[in-house]
Amino acid sequence: MSLITEDQVVLDLTGADRHEATRTLGERLVASGRCTDLDAFLGDVRKREETMATGLPGGIGIPHARSAAITEPSLVFGRTDGIDWGAKDGPATLVFLIAAPEGGGDAHMQMLPKLARALMKKDFKAALAAATTEAEVVRIVSAEVELDQPVMAAAAAGAAGTAGAGAGAAGTDTTGAAAAPAAKRVLNLVGVTSCPTGIAHTYMAAEGLENAAKAAGHTIKVETQGSAGSTPLSATEIAAADAVIFAHDLPVKDAGRFAGKPLVDVGVKKGISDGPALVSQAEQLVTEWDADPSKRTAAVAAAAAGGPSGGLTSKVESGASTGTKIRQWLMTGVSYMIPFVAAGGILIALSFMLAQVALGEQGPIEIVKYGLTAEGKYNITQSFSAFSLESWAGLLFVIGGASFGFLVPILSGFIAFAIADRPGLVPGIVGGSIAATMGAGFLGGLATGFLAGFVARWIAHWKVAKGVRGVMPVVVIPLLSTLITAGLFITVLGRPIKALSDALTSGLNNMSGSSALLLGIVLGAMMGFDLGGPVNKAAYFFATAGLATAGTVSDAPQLKIMAAVMAAGMVAPLAMALATTVRPHLFSEPERENGKAAWLLGASFISEGAIPFAAADPVRIITSSVIGSAVTGGLVMMFGATLRAPHGGIWVLPLIGNFLLFLLALVIGVLVMTAIVVALKSRDTHLAEVDASATV
């Protein structure tokens, strides 16, 4: 059984319009015995045409339909001088009429993608245009679009079943039993999750999708593009997927892999709080694509036309607002910077701890003299001794300082990378290094990152001669974008940005009393407001970026800000864990279970542990969270606790300066939030009881 025969090839197709041409092609199906009712089939084709034109770019027409009048999956090919098929770029010269039985299972699902991919190949279209015989066309088409035999057999059986069902409906029911409803289709899903820091949202969203898919009776494999790296989905897994779910706040890496698949594309928080709805959307998309195969065809065609990215743009580029794009570009840089902050900050903190043990209170002052090119005993390359605690402290300090030296260049480089992809890396990193050398701090890194990204993207879109294209990415773009970025920063932008950075640092150094308390309250409230959302991330970015400015100073105000932000971010999940423990009757069974998990999440500085509670009761929970987190943030700033690590919660407690006061501030904020939550929920419970008694 073949999709196309020589009788189903028209090398000189004519017609006043596409409907007349389609009739000519349909008559070939009648002649070959594959169509039992031409008018019925053409009616199905026209019905499909009324929903959306079936012309594709490049002179292609693909009229198609599933119809009870078709007995087996079939293709009819026609070559014309040009008939309007609804494509914006002009008339169609190559036309394929695609016919599938109404009960033909997945036959059309195989035909459409295979044909669409083939039509994106220039040599395939050229061969069809140059073919001189019907047999040659059959050979060319069959090599690209032949269906698997099991699919062909199932399609034929489905067509026969449809016809039999029609006949049986007019006859006598011999079984006396109603037909059993069709079993729910089990979907094979794949997904990708990512968040700006790659620490919490990424993995919680993956778990949410996995649980939702399992509950719905489907399977899913999720690629977590987090800070711990990821194991990419294989090409086989993606090819076998019925639909794709993206839950991400950063551009999906190599998104083109998923082109041509039904796609649900949302922010990462939706994956955490609304997994079942996302799976339901995927089910709906699969159903719609099954019912309307042109959607799959259009997706495949768009993917092929989209070049290396497969026609799939990342979420940061596809319809997002300007503010969203800026935030996502910024957080991409932060996400790559954080591992350097963590490594450098923790190593420096450990070096100070060892120095205090080895040298007493003067240890931290003495240890900062160590370096790779320092004189005398402070040159760690010459004086290191494995039996000296001071040497180990010096070694840790030097390595940590080296890691800190990359903060601004990495921030700048990956902001540019998020904007311009790989062409942005060189100018971004070089510009960031120059900003750090000039003392412009993270503000300079932000400026060079955005400047480098836009310059590199601008140059990458230049239309150049074919002979120059090959050297554009390796010579022209890095050369010109680096020259422009670095040149502008050194000669124009660098000095005013350095002055602004110095003023900000001076202002922070001079903060005391009420000003420090107010800053802590504001940052704490931001951390508690949307629990990992844009406002929360803005406060977190302010803190982590400040670590780059703090350098190796042991009591810099930026370290107090980092401590305040982390403590405030721990409040909401710990408070909800406590509330579900002391007043369990105020919460549902799932909330009580979430409360148990929130102990560990809160202790690990994962604010998202409170999201399930905020999603179910946003007004009371967010109000309580903002107040409790603000209290903790303000107290930490007032107490003068410090922190070099950008994450970790209680697991980095030994690295926190004044850690007892840090814990006190945290406990006070947790108790405040718990009290407010319990009071608000108890009040509403009492009101409900009063209303119920009044009704009685």
Side-chain angles (χ1 to χ4, degrees), residues 662-686:
F662 176 92
L663 288 177
L664 177 61
L666 176 60
V667 169
I668 292 173
V670 168
L671 291 176
V672 168
M673 179 177 172
T674 301
I676 296 173
V677 168
V678 169
L680 292 176
K681 282 187 169 287
S682 298
R683 172 181 174 274
D684 285 1
T685 301
H686 295 325

Side-chain angles (χ1 to χ4, degrees), residues 11 13 58-61 77-83 85 90-95 129:
L11 293 177
L13 178 64
I60 307 297
F77 171 74
R79 192 170 62 195
T80 81
D81 291 331
I83 297 176
W85 231 276
T93 56
L94 303 178
V95 180

Side-chain angles (χ1 to χ4, degrees), residues 27 46-47 78 82-83 101 112 151-152 156 235 278 301 335 348 390 433 496 500 529 560 565 567 572 587 628 672 693:
E27 288 171 351
R46 180 166 293 207
K47 183 178 179 181
I83 297 176
L112 281 168
V151 174
M152 292 287 286
L278 301 184
S335 70
I348 290 173
E390 181 181 350
S433 180
L500 181 61
F529 177 68
K560 300 175 185 177
V565 164
F587 300 90
V672 168
S693 62

Side-chain angles (χ1 to χ4, degrees), residues 459-503:
I459 296 174
H461 283 83
W462 285 359
K463 295 187 181 300
V464 297
K466 187 178 296 185
V468 181
R469 291 176 195 167
V471 297
M472 284 291 288
V474 294
V475 178
V476 178
I477 298 175
L479 173 64
L480 294 181
S481 60
T482 302
L483 175 62
I484 294 172
T485 300
L488 279 175
F489 192 82
I490 292 172
T491 60
V492 179
L493 301 174
R495 282 176 293 178
I497 291 178
K498 181 183 184 303
L500 181 61
S501 179
D502 290 344

Side-chain angles (χ1 to χ4, degrees), residues 70-90:
I70 298 299
T71 60
E72 62 185 84
S74 304
L75 287 175
V76 186
F77 171 74
R79 192 170 62 195
T80 81
D81 291 331
I83 297 176
D84 180 17
W85 231 276
K88 293 181 179 179
D89 65 341

